[in-house]
Amino acid sequence: MTGSRIADVIETTQLDMAEDLLEHAADLLVEARPAPEQLRFLLARTGEVLTDVHRIAVSRGTR
């Protein structure tokens, strides 16, 4: 597998994880009062996903 193909697979995985997190966030925020621990976890994962998505966008912009 070439380096660019590996990068494509990693990007696809990261974007799929971002989509899964968005679905989880939507489900969690439907709850009347999610626990503070749940919100902290969601916020931490959201930061990670945003970092990945930003990295992908910058990488694609330089290609």
Side-chain angles (χ1 to χ4, degrees):
M1 192 179 285
T2 67
S4 66
R5 180 67 186 130
I6 291 170
D8 290 342
V9 169
I10 291 170
E11 287 178 2
T12 298
T13 301
Q14 289 172 322
L15 292 173
D16 288 345
M17 290 170 59
E19 184 176 5
D20 291 345
L21 182 64
L22 286 171
E23 291 172 9
H24 175 69
D27 291 343
L28 180 65
L29 296 174
V30 167
E31 292 183 28
R33 296 190 58 94
E37 298 81 18
Q38 292 173 302
L39 294 174
R40 277 194 292 277
F41 178 84
L42 178 62
L43 186 55
R45 301 297 76 77
T46 300
E48 293 167 0
V49 165
L50 282 173
T51 299
D52 290 342
V53 170
H54 180 262
R55 187 178 301 124
I56 291 167
V58 168
S59 172
R60 288 183 179 181
T62 60
R63 289 185 199 172

